[in-house]
Amino acid sequence: MAIDLHINKNFGRDFTLDIGFRMDTGRLGILGASGSGKSMTLRSLAGIEIPDRGAIVLNGRVLFDAATRVNLPPQRRRVGYLFQSYALFPNMTVAGNIAVALAGSGKERRARTGEYLERFGLAGMENRLPHQLSGGQQQRVATARMLAADPEAVLLDEPFSALDSHLRERMELQLLDLLRDRDDVILVTHSRDVAYRFATHILAIDGGRVLAFGPTRELFQNPRRLAVAALTGCKNISRIRKIGSHSFTALDWGVTLNAADPVPDTATHAGIRAHDFQPVPAGEGSGDNVIAVRIVEQNEDVFEWNVIFVPAESTEPERHRLWYKYSKYAADGVPGHLRVPPEAIMFLE
């Protein structure tokens, strides 16, 4: 999927969507907080919302161009849209919901419907109505119907947000597995975990504007901007004062650290992810970036411990707080010292 999207739309109430990016191939995750403009971007691509200015080009086809007054209706854009509600036709059977998206003679449509029923694990359910299906089965029917229309792009708008955690994780795995071999998917989500697992590229947006765009792993490893680091789940962020080419004081942690990369002159903050701290064995509590730990709070999750600690020598324990996460199945608990790997430090603007 090659997509070139640059659009602007004023929605009033101090919100303007001003989004631009270009991608030649891959699966895109649009990541942002509620109200950031994620769904509006998707709806503009699908033709549900009409931008005031700009253009949208999909695989070389102009779907929208305000300058030349091109605006293809949704049914001509060849874009599949999976809504949160799935939007199945309530009075149509499973087979009918899929067949409605297919072209060809009645015999051809029946044969292809049977293929989709098998592929999506719906064989034997073809005569059921939507209200007779589980949430996961409804999602598979909606996905089969969407793909039966042979779209050039598949748009997923928060498809798991309304589900409880157990069902959400199971359905997420099922749907993403069905779509993993496609490179024409755009997934809107506020979940950094879903975006990281599925998307090859991330478009991070906030307030209707692009914060960052790039390959997923690169963006998580080096978010560069303060807002992007927070959006991708970094819990430890501090203002810094540069004191050497590779060293700085973390003002909000009360420690001095050395980094693998040079400290940029433009950097105002540094970030350390909670999983990146390294336990230091007893008796080895010295060396670069080693912090003596005093635990302030410790909470148990299903599979890990969340620890809030302060440097043991901190004179401002209410301010110098850091997060540390580690597996519940680790042999030891929180050690007396933790090390910050120099290569794990992220500089932010």
Side-chain angles (χ1 to χ4, degrees):
M1 173 185 66
I3 181 168
D4 189 346
L5 181 149
H6 291 80
I7 55 174
N8 182 285
K9 183 176 177 67
N10 186 349
F11 287 92
R13 297 182 181 178
D14 299 322
F15 185 84
T16 298
L17 186 70
D18 188 5
I19 298 292
F21 70 94
R22 176 185 174 87
M23 191 173 76
D24 294 326
T25 186
R27 297 184 300 272
L28 178 65
I30 303 181
L31 188 63
S34 297
S36 61
K38 305 185 302 297
S39 292
M40 288 301 180
T41 302
L42 216 61
R43 290 165 64 87
S44 297
L45 176 55
I48 301 170
E49 296 286 349
I50 308 303
D52 299 327
R53 295 180 293 279
I56 304 171
V57 182
L58 176 65
N59 294 333
R61 290 192 306 121
V62 178
L63 307 185
F64 172 82
D65 189 334
T68 59
R69 298 187 179 181
V70 173
N71 181 28
L72 296 186
Q75 61 270 26
R76 290 183 54 199
R77 295 197 178 198
R78 295 193 63 191
V79 169
Y81 201 124
L82 183 62
F83 295 90
Q84 294 180 19
S85 64
Y86 310 136
L88 297 175
F89 297 111
N91 297 321
M92 282 189 182
T93 63
V94 168
N97 266 281
I98 296 173
V100 75
L102 295 167
S105 66
K107 182 178 180 180
E108 291 170 337
R109 292 170 66 197
R110 283 191 296 273
R112 293 188 61 198
T113 298
E115 293 173 2
Y116 277 99
L117 290 168
E118 289 289 341
R119 177 183 171 189
F120 285 83
L122 297 166
M125 304 179 193
E126 53 267 32
N127 294 319
R128 295 186 189 179
L129 294 172
H131 76 270
Q132 297 172 311
L133 303 175
S134 69
Q137 291 164 347
Q138 290 182 29
Q139 187 185 73
R140 293 205 299 274
V141 176
T143 306
R145 182 182 65 182
M146 175 180 62
L147 298 182
D150 191 27
E152 289 189 22
V154 172
L155 312 183
L156 308 177
D157 190 1
E158 297 274 16
F160 317 110
S161 62
L163 306 174
D164 62 61
S165 59
H166 171 69
L167 186 60
R168 180 171 62 244
E169 290 176 2
R170 181 162 55 85
M171 292 175 61
E172 173 192 315
L173 289 172
Q174 291 175 353
L175 179 60
L176 299 187
D177 186 58
L178 288 169
L179 299 174
R180 199 168 297 280
D181 61 343
R182 301 181 66 106
D183 65 355
D184 57 0
V185 181
I186 300 178
L187 169 68
V188 159
T189 182
H190 63 269
S191 170
R192 62 181 182 273
D193 296 328
V194 172
Y196 189 86
R197 284 194 292 269
F198 182 71
T200 61
H201 293 72
I202 294 290
L203 178 71
I205 65 177
D206 183 58
R209 286 170 170 74
V210 175
L211 291 176
F213 172 72
T216 300
R217 281 158 182 77
E218 291 182 16
L219 190 141
F220 271 75
Q221 290 170 2
N222 188 15
R224 298 180 183 275
R225 297 183 63 179
L226 186 63
V228 180
L231 196 60
T232 57
C234 182
K235 294 186 177 299
N236 299 310
I237 297 175
S238 172
R239 295 167 299 143
I240 65 171
R241 181 173 64 244
K242 182 177 179 178
I243 58 176
S245 61
H246 288 258
S247 60
F248 63 94
T249 297
L251 302 175
D252 297 309
W253 303 331
V255 296
T256 296
L257 299 170
N258 295 314
D261 296 326
V263 182
D265 291 332
T266 55
T268 59
H269 292 73
I272 304 168
R273 298 194 184 274
H275 291 95
D276 282 339
F277 289 102
Q278 295 176 340
V280 177
E284 299 181 20
S286 63
D288 282 352
N289 294 4
V290 173
I291 302 172
V293 171
R294 185 165 84 241
I295 297 175
V296 174
E297 187 176 335
Q298 187 165 335
N299 297 306
E300 182 180 9
D301 273 349
V302 179
F303 298 114
E304 64 185 5
W305 286 100
N306 296 313
V307 178
I308 298 177
F309 72 91
V310 297
E313 298 180 359
S314 171
T315 58
E316 299 182 69
E318 291 301 315
R319 188 161 69 92
H320 297 158
R321 296 190 170 207
L322 296 105
W323 286 70
Y324 170 47
K325 291 178 176 283
Y326 71 99
S327 170
K328 285 173 59 175
Y329 306 105
D332 302 313
V334 182
H337 295 79
L338 292 171
R339 178 176 179 268
V340 179
E343 64 277 8
I345 295 170
M346 303 178 296
F347 290 112
L348 309 168
E349 300 177 13

